[in-house]
Amino acid sequence: MRLDKFLCACRVGTRSEVKKYIKQKLVTVNGQTALKPEDKVDETADIICFRGKQLQYEAYRYYLLYKPAGCVTAVTDATHKTVMDLFPDDIRGGLSPVGRLDRDTEGLLIVTNDGEFTHHILSPSHHIPKTYLAELDYALPEDAVARFKEGLDIGDDELTLPAELELIEPYIHENGYVRHRALVTIHEGRYHQVKRMFHAVGCKVLYLKRLSIGNLTLCGLDPGDFRRLTEQEIAALKEL
Ligand code: URA
C-alpha cells in the first residue's frame, strides 16, 4: 500500500499532515528516511517509524457510536449531518456504519471498515438480537406481547420473526401527555421495522432508542460519544 495511506491508517494524521511529516523527514521505512508519500510499503513486513517510534498497522477498526437524533446514518449526505461527521478526520477514513438508524432514532450504532463483519452483523440468517426502547402515543393492546412473539404483518411478503416485547411503566412527558413505553428485541433488521411493528398493533412510536446489539450496550456513553470495541466484544459478535 502507499506510505501515506499506511500512515493515515495508523492515525499519524490526515493525508495532508502525513505528507508534511514525510517532507520533514519524520518517517523511516526499514531505517531509511522516507521521501515520497506515494512510495509503496509492505504493511505486514516493513518496519515503519514515525518520530522514531514503530507503527503498528491495523487492517480493521471497530467502533461503537452513540448516535444522537438528528443525524443521518450515511457516510455522506448533501443536506444533513451524518454519523461519520461525529468522528475526527484522522479516524473517519474508510469507516462506514453497520446498518442504519432513522434520523430521529438515537442509540447504538457499530461503525467499521470490515466489510465481512458488516455482512455478518446484518445477515438475516444470523438473527443477532437488537433491543430498542420505544415511547408510544397509546397504551399497547393486551395481546401485544403475544402478537410480537407470533410475528406481525407489517406489509412485507413475510411476517416478522418472533420478537420479545416487554411493557414498562408509562411516564408523563414534559409536554404533559402520557408516554407509554416498551422494550422490544428483534432478530432481523428491516426498513423502519420497529416503527412498523408498533404501527401494526395500533401505536405510533414517538421516540426510539437502540439500547443494544448482541452483547454491546451504550453503557457509559453520551449521545455523540464513540469508543473502540474490545477484542473480546468483536470476537463475541463474530460468534453470534
Ligand atoms: N426500526 C425503526 O423503525 N427505526 C430505526 O431507526 C431502527 C429500527
Side-chain angles (χ1 to χ4, degrees):
M1 72 193 298
R2 280 174 61 123
L3 175 62
D4 54 356
K5 194 166 176 220
F6 172 90
L7 294 169
C8 291
C10 293
R11 300 183 51 198
V12 167
T14 60
R15 199 52 90 88
S16 59
E17 282 167 347
V18 302
K19 283 185 176 151
K20 199 174 68 195
Y21 299 147
I22 295 168
K23 223 171 177 180
Q24 292 170 340
K25 300 192 167 34
L26 296 174
V27 179
T28 58
V29 178
N30 299 324
Q32 303 291 313
T33 302
L35 297 174
K36 289 189 255 142
E38 64 273 22
D39 279 351
K40 290 281 191 284
V41 292
D42 179 347
E43 66 276 11
T44 59
D46 289 335
I47 296 175
I48 301 159
C49 299
F50 173 59
R51 295 187 199 274
K53 196 162 168 257
Q54 187 174 345
L55 300 170
Q56 296 302 333
Y57 179 66
E58 273 181 305
Y60 297 122
R61 292 172 294 136
Y62 307 84
Y63 293 90
L64 186 164
L65 170 71
Y66 186 159
K67 175 197 176 295
C71 58
V72 292
T73 310
V75 175
T76 55
D77 189 271
T79 40
H80 298 111
K81 188 172 166 160
T82 75
V83 289
M84 298 317 302
D85 293 331
L86 297 162
F87 290 85
D89 289 350
D90 61 334
I91 295 184
R92 190 184 311 143
L95 297 176
S96 310
V98 176
R100 66 186 293 280
L101 291 175
D102 298 334
R103 184 147 73 95
D104 59 354
T105 301
E106 60 177 39
L108 197 159
L109 190 69
I110 300 172
V111 173
T112 183
N113 59 346
D114 182 347
E116 213 172 296
F117 179 82
T118 298
H119 184 258
H120 171 81
I121 299 292
L122 298 181
S123 167
S125 58
H126 290 138
H127 305 319
I128 293 182
K130 292 173 277 259
T131 299
Y132 295 83
L133 166 68
E135 294 186 4
L136 312 160
D137 55 351
Y138 291 116
L140 284 155
E142 277 191 1
D143 60 354
V145 172
R147 288 171 68 189
F148 272 63
K149 186 125 221 97
E150 281 159 17
L152 291 162
D153 180 356
I154 59 169
D156 295 341
D157 293 341
E158 311 250 323
L159 295 184
T160 54
L161 289 177
E164 294 85 56
L165 181 68
E166 186 190 328
L167 275 51
I168 46 181
E169 279 292 292
Y171 76 103
I172 309 290
H173 189 262
E174 59 191 21
N175 64 14
Y177 289 95
V178 175
R179 284 274 175 105
H180 300 272
R181 290 190 291 180
L183 296 175
V184 60
T185 301
I186 60 172
H187 303 266
E188 53 189 337
R190 303 189 202 172
Y191 183 64
H192 291 328
Q193 178 162 347
V194 173
K195 290 176 184 166
R196 290 197 288 148
M197 288 172 84
F198 283 107
H199 182 74
V201 294
C203 293
K204 185 172 176 198
V205 172
L206 302 175
Y207 167 84
L208 189 61
K209 175 177 177 179
R210 182 153 67 195
L211 303 175
S212 66
I213 299 180
N215 55 335
L216 300 180
T217 68
L218 288 168
C219 187
L221 297 182
D222 288 321
D225 288 351
F226 63 87
R227 68 165 175 85
R228 303 283 288 241
L229 293 190
T230 65
E231 291 298 325
Q232 291 90 325
E233 287 170 333
I234 298 162
L237 286 165
K238 284 181 178 174
E239 271 171 28
L240 286 174

